[in-house]
Every structure is written in structure tokens, then in C-alpha cells.
């Protein structure tokens, strides 16, 4: 049995080889000592072959569509946004704009950020490329592999798990015919996991990052109080180009209020008996 860190590396390597890397990349992985032990462990059945991770891998392997040296630049419209973003920071602190620039690049590039885009941002803010890489690999909302035009993120934190988020995720994966972090054959959908979305009272929930209209029409919406039936209906509405109503999907709730309406606080709160607490 491999120690925990080696098992974690094994799962990541196997997931990469099965879902993201080309055959050539898989052969390169297999030639390393860690990968060799990973595949051996998988053959013994001690490492699952699926990839149970909420984030992309924190390292890069070249592929025909994602490698250094490829030409990448912001569109003319987005260059205006780049200038506007940088105007918020002193000229000697351009690197403070790395996060919003990565976000803009991701919107322009269909939901993910290739290495070439990171290199372009490094030139703009005048830092070494590693300074951009370390930001892009730290924040899980930056995708470094392809995602669907509609990237569906299932909240995986405890309140949502208690309320059935795993069933929501299983329903999505089965309905779309993909594994986590895979893209459907038509390029429309991908499913990932995200930790706490901050709306636990309306669990379970998903977020939908809509890259179908590029950076100009980019939206990011929450869909809450979900059931397996309702999440499939939302997917099919998106497939038809419709806009599902965001927020709670419970027919009897308004925002975060209780089903059926408030049972308390129907009137104005009464003032304290005296304003001077010391005199009370």
C-alpha cells in the first residue's frame, strides 16, 4: 500500500492519463518512477481509476492546443478592458491586476486559460511568467483545461452534501454521459465541483459559468434548492439557449426565506423599554 501522498499523486496521474492527456503524454508519465508505482498500485486495485478531485492538476503537460510559445493575445475589445483594469493600480504595481486579467482571458478563451495566455499576461504586467502561473494554479476558479460552454459546478461542502449534492452530481454526470471534469462531445457542458458557494440555507446548489457568448455575454449564476429532476430541466433549458430563473428553485420560497413565507417578524420590531441601558 502506498503512503497517502503517493496515493494522491497516483490518482491525479491516472486521472490525467485517462481524461486529459494524449497517448504521448501518457507514455511520458508512465516512464517516471512515480507514475510506474501509480499504475502498479492501480493494477493491484489500491488506487481508484476515477478522478475524484474538485480542481485541475497543479502542474502542466504540453499538448497541441496548450503549450508555451503559441500565439495568444487579448481581442481588441478586451484590450480596452485590460487598460481599464490596469488603471486601478500604480504603474509599479501592475502585477496586482493578474487576477482580473486571468479572469478576462478565461472568458475570452471559452472558459479556460492556456499557458500562452498566462505568458501574454506576464508580459503585460511585466513579471516573470511563473508569477502568473502560481496565481492561476492557486485559485481553483481558473480552469487550465477545456471546459464546456456551460460549466456546471456542484457545491461539495458539508451542508450541500447533507442535502443531497452527491445525488445532484450523479444525476448530471449520468444525464450528460461524462465523468467529472470531462466535456460533452458537443462541447456544451462540463461538470466540476466547487467548495462552499456561501448559500448553505438553500442547499443543494450549483453554479453555472456561461461562456457561450464570450467575454461580452459571460454570466455566472447560482441555482439553489435543487432536486435531481430540476437540475436536468435546467440543463435542457441551457441546451435550448434559454435562461433558467436563477436563485432558489423551490416554488414556495422567495430568495432565502422559509417555504410558505415568514412565520415571525410580521411587523415592525418594538423598541427597547428605555434607550439608556444604564438607567434601566
Amino acid at each position: 500500500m502506498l503512503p497517502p501522498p503517493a496515493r494522491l499523486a497516483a490518482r491525479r496521474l491516472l486521472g490525467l492519463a485517462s481524461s486529459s492527456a494524449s497517448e504521448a503524454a501518457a507514455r511520458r508519465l508512465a516512464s517516471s518512477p512515480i507514475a510506474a508505482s501509480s499504475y502498479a498500485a492501480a493494477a493491484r486495485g489500491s488506487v481508484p481509476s476515477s478522478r475524484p478531485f474538485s480542481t485541475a492538476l497543479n502542474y502542466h503537460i504540453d499538448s497541441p492546443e496548450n503549450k508555451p510559445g503559441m500565439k495568444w493575445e487579448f481581442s481588441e475589445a478586451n484590450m480596452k478592458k485590460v487598460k481599464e483594469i490596469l488603471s486601478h493600480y500604480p504603474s509599479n504595481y501592475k502585477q496586482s491586476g493578474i487576477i482580473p486579467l486571468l479572469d478576462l482571458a478565461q472568458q475570452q478563451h471559452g472558459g479556460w486559460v492556456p499557458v500562452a495566455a498566462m505568458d501574454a499576461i506576464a508580459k503585460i504586467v511585466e513579471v516573470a511568467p511563473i508569477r502568473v502561473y502560481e496565481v492561476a494554479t492557486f485559485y481553483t476558479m481558473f480552469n487550465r483545461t477545456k471546459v464546456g460552454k456551460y460549466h456546471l459546478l456542484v457545491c461539495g461542502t458539508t451542508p450541500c452534501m447533507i442535502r443531497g449534492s452527491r445525488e445532484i452530481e450523479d444525476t448530471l454526470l449520468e444525464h450528460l454521459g461524462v465523468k467529472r471534469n470531462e466535456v460533452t462531445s458537443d462541447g456544451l457542458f462540463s461538470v466540476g465541483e466547487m467548495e462552499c458557494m456561501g448559500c448553505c440555507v438553500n442547499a443543494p446548489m450549483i453554479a453555472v459559468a456561461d461562456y457561450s457568448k464570450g467575454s461580452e455575454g459571460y454570466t455566472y449564476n447560482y441555482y439553489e434548492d435543487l432536486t435531481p429532476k430540476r437540475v436536468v430541466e435546467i440543463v435542457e433549458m441551457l441546451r435550448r439557449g434559454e435562461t433558467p430563473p436563477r436563485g432558489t428553485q423551490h416554488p414556495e420560497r422567495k430568495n432565502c426565506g422559509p417555504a410558505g413565507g415568514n412565520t415571525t417578524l410580521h411587523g415592525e420590531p418594538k423598541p427597547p423599554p428605555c434607550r439608556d441601558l444604564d438607567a434601566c
Side-chain angles (χ1 to χ4, degrees):
M1 178 69 70
L2 292 171
R7 290 202 300 272
L8 177 61
R11 293 191 189 101
R12 293 190 173 187
L13 289 165
L14 287 169
L16 179 67
S18 62
S19 63
S20 301
S22 64
E23 291 183 4
R27 287 195 296 271
R28 291 198 299 273
L29 282 171
S31 64
S32 71
I34 293 178
S37 63
S38 302
Y39 286 115
R44 294 194 302 269
S46 58
V47 178
S49 59
S50 60
R51 180 179 168 188
F53 299 100
S54 60
T55 61
L57 298 171
N58 58 5
Y59 49 83
H60 170 79
I61 292 180
D62 287 352
S63 67
E65 60 191 12
N66 187 14
K67 57 185 177 181
M70 298 182 70
K71 184 178 180 180
W72 195 97
E73 57 187 18
F74 283 103
S75 66
E76 184 176 347
N78 279 341
M79 275 306 301
K80 296 178 181 179
K81 295 181 181 180
V82 169
K83 293 177 181 179
E84 195 276 331
I85 289 170
L86 294 180
S87 71
H88 294 281
Y89 309 105
S91 59
N92 59 328
Y93 283 97
K94 291 181 180 179
Q95 65 267 33
S96 299
I98 288 176
I99 290 178
L101 291 177
L102 281 169
D103 184 44
L104 183 61
Q106 180 163 280
Q107 294 173 29
Q108 176 177 312
H109 202 73
W112 66 290
V113 188
V115 170
M118 299 181 206
D119 292 342
I121 290 171
K123 290 181 180 179
I124 290 172
V125 299
E126 299 175 355
V127 297
I130 186 60
R131 296 303 181 191
V132 181
Y133 301 164
E134 61 191 10
V135 174
T137 56
F138 180 82
Y139 293 102
T140 60
M141 289 179 69
F142 292 129
N143 306 309
R144 291 176 295 105
T145 56
K146 275 189 175 181
V147 298
K149 292 182 178 180
Y150 301 101
H151 189 39
L152 316 176
L153 294 163
V154 182
C155 183
T157 311
T158 306
C160 277
M161 289 184 70
I162 292 172
R163 294 285 294 164
S165 66
R166 284 292 172 259
E167 188 177 1
I168 297 299
E169 183 185 37
D170 291 343
T171 299
L172 283 172
L173 297 177
E174 181 179 358
H175 181 69
L176 295 172
V178 295
K179 296 178 181 179
R180 189 188 293 179
N181 298 319
E182 287 184 346
V183 182
T184 55
S185 58
D186 57 9
L188 278 180
F189 297 100
S190 55
V191 180
E193 183 186 356
M194 184 176 175
E195 296 308 310
C196 191
M197 298 181 185
C199 199
C200 306
V201 70
N202 287 9
M205 63 179 295
I206 66 172
V208 177
D210 182 354
Y211 300 104
S212 63
K213 302 177 184 68
S215 53
E216 295 300 323
Y218 170 74
T219 60
Y220 186 86
N221 290 316
Y222 281 2
Y223 298 90
E224 307 147 6
D225 288 313
L226 291 171
T227 63
K229 177 182 177 182
R230 182 55 183 162
V231 79
V232 170
E233 292 172 349
I234 289 173
V235 166
E236 292 308 309
M237 291 178 73
L238 293 171
R239 193 191 301 276
R240 295 192 296 268
E242 301 172 9
T243 304
R246 62 189 180 186
T248 180
Q249 304 298 302
H250 194 297
E252 297 182 11
R253 295 188 72 181
K254 182 178 180 181
N255 298 325
C256 296
N262 290 350
T263 57
T264 60
L265 301 177
H266 288 292
E268 292 294 323
K270 294 181 180 180
C274 56
R275 296 184 182 276
D276 186 354
L277 298 180
D278 294 332
C280 291

